[in-house]
Amino acid sequence: MTFIQKLTDQRFAQSAARFMRSVCWLLIGLLALCTLLSFMGRQTFFLHTKDGSFENAICAEEDHAPQSRGITVGTDDDIHVWADGSGRIGPAVRIGLSLMYAVHTIPAMLAFWFLSCVFSNISEGRIFTDRNAACLLYYGLLQIFAAVFVPFFRLLLCPVVSLISGNQMSVSTGQNMLGTLIPGIAFLVAAYIIHYGVNLQDEVDHTL
């Protein structure tokens, strides 16, 4: 048996699918924990104050240059916040930071849940099904949403936060847009292939 045949063997594929289903559940749990940490004020950003600028500052601290701060979360985007005259960060900024993080993690959790459903079906030998096609479609759409709409949401959120608070907020985003958009489109194509296979199987069954 060649290496390619081993990789495409049914037992190996089902075992790999069960493993990947567990990985998806683990990622969902980690993303939920990270979202909770963000709402607890442990999300990093670049803070500017009258005393200087601090990289990887968090809201849940008084000293912005600590030796050890515990667990923190962050994004690939460069988020800058300017403190007010008293050096404080208002609640609007805290909420804005959490929303910026949640708008990425919540769709990601949904996407991994749909993907776990596909791996669950494959582990049980159900491959060409409408449910798999739908889950792959939803996963692809969520990836496209994360690539296209999430950056625009973050860009629009910053002036709103700056307007209603005594702080200024800016973000540089969209750096990995193509890296997320292309896999999303690929999953849409995969969903079409599965859906086509289901219809083809139905035609064969009716012909027989």
Side-chain angles (χ1 to χ4, degrees):
M1 182 179 291
T2 65
F3 179 70
I4 298 298
Q5 289 175 325
K6 289 180 180 179
L7 289 179
T8 55
D9 180 71
Q10 182 179 1
R11 288 181 299 178
F12 177 82
Q14 289 179 335
S15 297
R18 283 191 292 270
F19 172 76
M20 290 305 301
R21 178 184 58 188
S22 300
V23 170
C24 287
W25 290 347
L26 177 62
L27 290 173
I28 291 172
L30 288 174
L31 287 170
L33 175 61
C34 290
T35 304
L36 178 62
L37 289 171
S38 174
F39 278 95
M40 291 172 61
R42 305 202 63 83
Q43 179 181 346
T44 59
F45 57 94
F46 205 109
L47 177 64
H48 303 273
T49 69
K50 61 182 180 180
D51 297 324
S53 298
F54 303 90
E55 189 176 3
N56 296 326
I58 61 176
C59 293
E61 65 183 1
E62 294 295 334
D63 179 10
H64 296 298
Q67 296 297 322
S68 177
R69 64 177 61 184
I71 301 175
T72 61
V73 296
T75 67
D76 293 334
D77 298 336
D78 293 326
I79 303 174
H80 291 253
V81 176
W82 283 261
D84 59 20
S86 61
R88 295 186 178 183
I89 301 171
V93 171
R94 295 170 182 259
I95 295 172
L97 288 170
S98 298
L99 288 177
M100 280 189 177
Y101 196 82
V103 77
H104 167 72
T105 56
I106 292 177
M109 285 189 282
L110 287 173
F112 282 124
W113 184 80
F114 285 122
L115 202 57
S116 72
C117 292
V118 175
F119 287 129
S120 180
N121 288 335
I122 293 175
S123 68
E124 296 173 3
R126 299 192 299 268
I127 301 174
F128 286 97
T129 66
D130 286 326
R131 180 169 173 78
N132 283 345
C135 287
L136 290 175
L137 175 66
Y138 296 146
Y139 180 88
L141 290 175
L142 285 167
Q143 291 291 91
I144 293 173
F145 173 82
V148 177
F149 294 102
V150 168
F152 283 105
F153 174 83
R154 290 175 173 171
L155 289 172
L156 291 174
L157 184 62
C158 285
V160 174
V161 171
S162 300
L163 182 64
I164 63 177
S165 70
N167 308 107
Q168 293 295 315
M169 189 176 182
S170 70
V171 63
S172 174
T173 186
Q175 294 89 340
N176 194 35
M177 180 179 289
L178 288 179
T180 306
L181 181 62
I182 293 175
I185 296 174
F187 272 93
L188 295 185
V189 175
Y192 166 75
I193 293 173
I194 296 295
H195 181 70
Y196 181 80
V198 172
N199 289 338
L200 189 62
Q201 184 64 48
D202 288 340
E203 291 179 4
V204 172
D205 292 341
H206 284 92
T207 301
L208 294 177

